[in-house]
Amino acid sequence: MHRTLPAILFVLVALTPGRAAAQEPRLAGRLPDQTRRDVEALLDSARTAGLPTEPLVDRALEGATKHAPGERIVAAVRRLAADLAASRDAFGAGVSDAEIAAGASALRAGARADDLARLREIRSDQPVTVAAAVLTDLVALGVPPDTATAAVLALAERAKDSEYLAFRRNIERDVALGATPVAALEFQMQSAANLFDAGPGRAAGAANRPRKP
Amino acid sequence: MTFTWSLAWGVPLNAQVSATADIALGAVKYEGFLGSAAVSFTPAVRYDGHFVSAAARGNYLLYESGRSLTQAAGAVAFLTPPSGPLRGEISGYGGLSSYAGGPVSGFGLARARLHVTHGARGIWFGGGLGGSYAAFSDTRASELAAGGWMLVAGMALTVTAAYGRVSDTTLADLSATVRGTWSVIEVDALVGARLWAERAQTGAFGDVAARVWLTSAIAAQVTAGSYLSDPMRTGVAGRYVAAGVRIAPFSHRRAVRALDERLRSQLRLPTAPPDRSLPTLIIEGAGIGAEGITIVAPSADVVEIAADFTDWQPVALTRVGRNRWYLNVVLAPGVYRLNLRLDGGEWTVPRGLTVQDDEFGSRVGLVVIQ
């Protein structure tokens, strides 16, 4: 529901007739005319809503490079715009474009808007870009979204961005060794807890070092 | 210490059951991990009949950290009656694995082969289909292979050429084994090389085991080896060395039979997993953000990148060394989507990046710049 409402609102705004869409020069020559007009209407709606438009342009250009059909490109841009809106609403005011984009990826991966809001609340004094991206990574690695979200939130209070990245890297390594993503996550959560108990200074250094199997 | 093994085919001289148990202490070094001491216990049992061969093997590795790796594999082969020099074989081979008590992953492969034997030598060719289940992803595999064997000077020699496809990776391996017995000394050795690969690295692998039989049932043995990553079993590349004992209560250790365990285990599946075969992306750090991207891409003549930061226009990277390519780009902290293309092929995701459905019918990689 929390994701649905911003999406509906965004679509309604985007479909409002008579809107004069601003021209995005990078789309010229890359998209069919109708597709370009549809995308520019979405960009215009995003600007009106105060959303970052760069990710939307990038998504349209990505579709063009991959020779995707026009309707598929428009649908992808529209979905992303709705996710950006949901991400921005979840994170609240004062959030950067990079954070909004990372939050949108996490939502697309299966995180809930409430989880993003909780993440912002816990890490109120630092950017949430990396934490949200790691959440997305964990889901992509095969960790169920609920489990991944719980892990990222559990680390949110004490983990630095570098420790989040090391955490994610170690899980990927364990998965490569044969552990399932959930088991790897559990190990790394346990390791992280031990490191944090040992002190923040040790946690930062140790989390980046290779460990024994 | 490693566990790459299979059973395929044999023409047993006499039906027999054999069982062994290996206990060893050694050291392992996996790619991406620190070296570790490890204790292993490897029981195995096999039956060889005139028309059926079956085997099962377990392997328990306890690492210095207290974590463990448990593996089990089984194989069964059905043989047709000989028709002149020809004999057919249908076999199945599968296994399970669990690291540190986590959930189990598995793999399986079905094979069909035709053997042509002539005295103390023979050739075979065939193919197989299979797949694996690891975590939440399934991987399909297929293989075409041919090989030959011969007995000479008390040794069993084999050569195998295999072309395999695992997911979207194709590989061609050539390997050879030798097994010999001289008095109480027994040696098994395997040497192999990945001669050609598409979207995979080439490299050498091998292992050797030397045993001295102290009694008819107990041998002291040393083993060492180096192996590449294994897509079917989702294992990482590694090296090992170990020493221990082999207990063989009722095996026929000294006879080098026409087609023994080594001869039955020739076709190793391609041993580089797709994710390790892909180009590797290295972000050149700048404290905050990034100021350069290096791609390590073996066997490529042209490497192109298309990404959020190139407006999704393909940009060719500059070659800066053997297998290394560089793009000078300044990136602010954030999350970026990107794809790579080698030699004008399909857009792909370099190793180490999170892979996502790109919503355009393909995949895209996500990279986080801190």
Side-chain angles (χ1 to χ4, degrees):
Chain A
M1 186 62 190
H2 287 85
R3 287 183 64 190
T4 308
L5 184 58
I8 292 172
L9 290 175
F10 186 87
V11 170
L12 288 175
V13 171
L15 295 179
T16 302
R19 299 176 59 82
Q23 298 283 303
E24 170 50 60
R26 285 176 293 171
L27 300 180
R30 303 282 301 274
L31 297 173
D33 289 346
Q34 184 57 50
T35 304
R36 181 183 177 187
R37 282 194 291 273
D38 292 343
V39 170
E40 284 177 337
L42 290 167
L43 293 175
D44 197 43
S45 299
R47 282 188 206 98
T48 304
L51 298 174
T53 57
E54 193 63 23
L56 303 176
V57 175
D58 287 337
R59 190 62 52 90
L61 294 175
E62 179 184 348
T65 294
K66 295 178 177 178
H67 308 295
E71 60 271 22
R72 201 162 185 175
I73 293 174
V74 173
V77 172
R78 182 178 289 117
R79 266 195 301 272
L80 176 58
D83 287 342
L84 290 169
S87 172
R88 194 268 315 276
D89 292 349
F91 283 144
V95 69
S96 70
D97 287 356
E99 290 172 290
I100 293 173
S105 293
L107 289 171
R108 181 54 48 191
R112 297 175 304 177
D114 288 349
D115 300 325
L116 296 187
R118 176 72 181 140
L119 182 63
R120 172 79 271 174
E121 182 185 345
I122 297 173
R123 292 176 78 83
S124 58
D125 58 342
Q126 51 189 320
V128 294
T129 307
V130 171
V134 168
L135 198 165
T136 307
D137 283 355
L138 295 179
V139 175
L141 282 171
V143 178
D146 287 352
T147 306
T149 301
V152 168
L153 289 176
L155 295 175
E157 193 172 347
R158 292 192 285 183
K160 298 175 182 174
D161 280 353
S162 60
E163 290 164 342
Y164 263 123
L165 293 175
F167 175 76
R168 179 256 189 215
R169 196 164 49 243
N170 289 339
I171 289 173
E172 185 185 44
R173 204 172 51 188
D174 285 354
V175 168
L177 188 59
T180 65
V182 172
L185 180 73
E186 289 172 356
F187 293 138
Q188 293 306 324
M189 286 299 292
Q190 195 174 35
S191 299
N194 294 338
L195 289 169
F196 289 136
D197 289 344
R202 289 184 60 186
N208 282 298
R209 286 198 293 270
R211 66 166 178 79
K212 291 178 182 293
Chain B
M1 303 294 274
T2 184
F3 187 55
T4 52
W5 164 87
S6 69
L7 175 149
W9 177 71
V11 183
L13 300 180
N14 296 291
Q16 70 173 47
V17 174
S18 63
T20 60
D22 294 350
I23 302 169
L25 173 64
V28 296
K29 175 70 176 72
Y30 297 123
E31 184 180 280
F33 285 82
L34 295 174
S36 172
V39 176
S40 71
F41 175 62
T42 308
V45 60
R46 67 180 298 124
Y47 165 78
D48 292 313
H50 289 285
F51 298 104
V52 178
S53 290
R57 180 172 177 175
N59 181 241
Y60 176 79
L61 268 172
L62 178 62
Y63 301 107
E64 197 178 326
S65 63
R67 287 183 279 270
S68 62
L69 178 66
T70 306
Q71 296 173 299
V76 60
F78 299 95
L79 309 170
T80 64
S83 176
L86 303 179
R87 199 163 191 191
E89 173 207 346
I90 299 291
S91 64
Y93 167 44
L96 301 170
S97 176
S98 174
Y99 171 59
V104 173
S105 59
F107 66 92
L109 187 72
R111 288 168 171 154
R113 289 181 178 175
L114 180 64
H115 299 264
V116 183
T117 60
H118 179 72
R121 63 181 67 90
I123 58 173
W124 59 266
F125 57 91
L129 292 172
S132 67
Y133 173 80
F136 297 87
S137 63
D138 295 321
T139 299
R140 296 188 185 283
S142 57
E143 64 180 25
L144 290 172
W149 59 272
M150 66 184 299
L151 301 179
V152 57
M155 294 183 294
L157 307 176
T158 75
V159 176
T160 299
Y163 171 84
R165 184 176 181 88
V166 181
S167 186
D168 53 359
T169 300
T170 50
L171 308 161
D173 288 354
L174 181 64
S175 61
T177 69
V178 58
R179 184 177 192 186
T181 302
W182 302 272
S183 183
V184 295
I185 297 173
E186 189 174 85
V187 175
D188 284 308
L190 162 74
V191 292
R194 178 150 306 131
L195 301 176
W196 174 86
E198 184 178 359
R199 303 178 65 193
Q201 292 180 314
T202 54
F205 53 88
D207 59 58
V208 61
R211 292 178 202 94
V212 177
W213 289 92
L214 307 175
T215 72
S216 61
I218 297 177
Q221 68 175 357
V222 292
T223 58
S226 173
Y227 52 93
L228 304 175
S229 299
D230 189 326
M232 287 292 279
R233 305 170 187 81
T234 65
V236 296
R239 306 186 300 273
Y240 68 95
V241 59
V245 296
R246 165 166 287 189
I247 302 168
F250 49 98
S251 66
H252 301 264
R253 61 172 178 78
R254 297 194 183 175
V256 176
R257 302 187 312 128
L259 287 167
D260 65 1
E261 184 176 74
R262 272 298 189 192
L263 289 168
R264 298 162 204 252
S265 61
Q266 287 319 294
L267 184 53
R268 297 156 62 109
L269 278 170
T271 51
D275 63 339
R276 295 189 178 281
S277 67
L278 294 172
T280 301
L281 180 142
I282 301 167
I283 300 293
E284 309 292 346
I288 297 175
E291 53 183 20
I293 287 176
T294 296
I295 301 291
V296 179
S299 309
D301 293 321
V302 178
V303 176
E304 295 171 289
I305 191 168
D308 289 341
F309 48 82
T310 72
D311 283 341
W312 284 96
Q313 292 278 21
V315 174
L317 280 73
T318 304
R319 192 167 207 156
V320 293
R322 185 172 177 268
N323 298 336
R324 294 179 80 86
W325 307 77
Y326 182 75
L327 178 68
N328 185 15
V329 60
V330 177
L331 299 176
V335 181
Y336 299 89
R337 287 159 67 100
L338 66 82
N339 283 111
L340 282 186
R341 185 164 65 181
L342 306 184
D343 298 333
E346 295 292 316
W347 288 107
T348 187
V349 178
R351 171 184 165 188
L353 268 59
T354 297
V355 181
Q356 276 195 333
D357 174 11
D358 66 359
E359 302 188 73
F360 302 119
S362 184
R363 297 181 299 173
V364 68
L366 296 186
V367 61
V368 184
I369 303 297
Q370 199 183 343

